[in-house]
Amino acid sequence: MTQFRHVVTSEDDGKEVRQITREYFDFSARLRNRIKRQKLTMRNGVPAEGWHKVCEGDVISITLPDEHSNFPPEDIPIDIVFEDDDLMVINKQPGLVVHPTKGHPAGTCANALANYMEQTGNIFKIRFVNRLDRDTSGLLLVAKNAYCQNHITDQMRKGQIHKKYLAIVKGVMESESGTIDLPIGRPDPEDIRRGVIADGAPSVTHYKVVEYLKGHTLVELLLETGRTHQIRVHMSHIGHPVAGDTLYGEEDAELISRQALHAAGLSLIHPITKEPVDFIAPLPDDMKEAIEKLSL
C-alpha cells in the first residue's frame, strides 16, 4: 500500500498539518478531500486534524484510500510487462476491448484484470491511463490509485510521456522520415470516423521508415499528441493507410486480420519514485507473419 511521508524540519515548526500536506504532497484537491474525509493523515502514527500544529521531527504520513472496481471477472489471459504497488503495464493482445462499453459490455481487458485480482488478491481500482483500439496491440498503462493517474495525466499534458508505435502501411513511402502536423476532428458527429479537418484538434505524428516491404512499409511512429485514431487518420490522409484497417483503408485478410498497428514502446516518469521508466512490447506474431509474407 502506497504511503507518503514527510519529516517536519525546523523551517516547518509550528505550521498546521494542512499546510504541510499542501506544501509537500502534490495531491489534487479532490484526492486531498477524500484523504481528509477518511482521516488518513497521521502525525507520528496518530490520526491528525488539519488544524493540528507540528513540531520539528514530527513524521507526517498519508495512506491513499483503498479502492476497488466492480467489473465481473472473466478468464481472459493478460500479459503483464511490469507491475508494482502503483502501476501495471500490460501488453494487450489484438481483438481485446480495453473497457466495457454498450457495444462490448463483457470480454474486455477490465474483466481480465478483475479476474487477475481475484486470483492474486491484489485489489485496486482499475484506471486505464491510455487507451488502445480493440484491434491495436501493445502497451496499456494502468494506474492503481488516483495519485498516479493524476500524475501521469499531468505528464501527458506536458508532453513528458513518449509513445512509440510500429505499423505496416500500404505503399512504399517516399520519405524515410517526416512529421505529419494536421488537425484531427470528427466531420460527422454521428460517425465514429475521424478525419483531418480545419477546425480539428492539433495533432502531430512523427514517422520513420524501419523497412521497405513488397508494396508496403514498416514504419515507426512517435506521437506528440494523442488523438483518437491519430495514426490511422494521419497515415490514411497521406496515402499510406495502415494495412488491414477497414475503417480508414481496406480489408486485407490474406495479409492480416486486423489493422497492423502495435504500441511498442512507452516512456514516462514513475509517479512515486520520480525515476524514468521505459517499457517495450515485441511485435505480435500476426505482424511478424505479415512482414515475412512481404519481405523483399
Side-chain angles (χ1 to χ4, degrees), residues 31-236:
L31 179 55
R32 196 157 42 237
N33 287 334
R34 287 169 55 204
I35 290 169
K36 179 181 177 181
R37 286 196 305 271
Q38 297 185 32
K39 300 185 183 301
L40 298 174
T41 302
M42 312 288 281
R43 183 183 63 173
N44 302 325
V46 178
E49 297 293 344
W51 52 268
H52 285 172
K53 302 284 189 178
V54 301
C55 300
E56 182 180 356
D58 282 349
V59 177
I60 305 301
S61 58
I62 295 176
T63 302
L64 295 180
D66 284 331
E67 299 176 287
H68 65 277
S69 297
N70 295 311
F71 301 110
E74 296 184 46
D75 188 12
I76 300 170
I78 52 173
D79 179 8
I80 298 174
V81 174
F82 171 85
E83 182 179 19
D84 64 10
D85 291 339
D86 304 286
L87 297 179
M88 176 184 282
V89 181
I90 298 166
N91 181 15
K92 186 186 82 70
Q93 61 265 45
L96 186 63
V97 173
V98 170
H99 198 279
T101 63
K102 287 184 179 180
H104 295 89
T108 72
C109 196
N111 301 111
L113 281 175
N115 182 67
Y116 167 79
M117 286 189 279
E118 186 177 79
Q119 298 297 318
T120 63
N122 181 6
I123 308 300
F124 55 90
K125 185 170 182 178
I126 301 169
R127 291 177 165 90
F128 293 109
V129 184
N130 65 322
R131 299 292 178 94
L132 296 176
D133 298 333
R134 179 188 64 186
D135 289 329
T136 297
S137 57
L139 296 170
L140 186 63
L141 180 59
V142 182
K144 291 186 174 183
N145 54 62
Y147 173 80
C148 288
Q149 181 184 37
N150 294 337
H151 195 282
I152 295 171
T153 300
D154 188 53
Q155 288 184 56
M156 287 182 172
R157 191 162 43 245
K158 295 176 180 176
Q160 296 173 332
I161 290 185
H162 303 288
K163 293 179 280 187
K164 182 177 76 174
Y165 290 75
L166 290 170
I168 303 169
V169 300
K170 301 279 284 186
V172 178
M173 298 191 68
E174 294 181 3
S175 299
E176 291 191 357
S177 63
T179 297
I180 307 167
D181 186 355
L182 295 169
I184 291 176
R186 206 165 181 170
D188 182 355
E190 303 299 319
D191 193 332
I192 190 176
R193 286 176 295 184
R194 272 68 173 174
V196 171
I197 57 176
D199 60 348
S203 308
V204 181
T205 304
H206 305 285
Y207 67 86
K208 181 176 67 175
V209 170
V210 176
E211 184 179 356
Y212 288 108
L213 306 165
K214 293 177 183 175
H216 295 72
T217 309
L218 176 64
V219 291
E220 176 185 288
L221 304 120
L222 297 177
L223 295 186
E224 195 169 307
T225 54
R227 311 302 174 199
T228 300
H229 299 172
Q230 179 174 318
I231 289 173
R232 299 164 66 189
V233 171
H234 271 170
M235 298 310 293
S236 178

Side-chain angles (χ1 to χ4, degrees), residues 258-282:
R258 50 107 177 184
Q259 69 246 15
L261 181 61
H262 177 67
L266 181 64
S267 302
L268 65 148
I269 303 299
H270 194 292
I272 303 300
T273 67
K274 303 299 188 286
E275 295 292 328
V277 287
D278 300 286
F279 306 107
I280 297 173

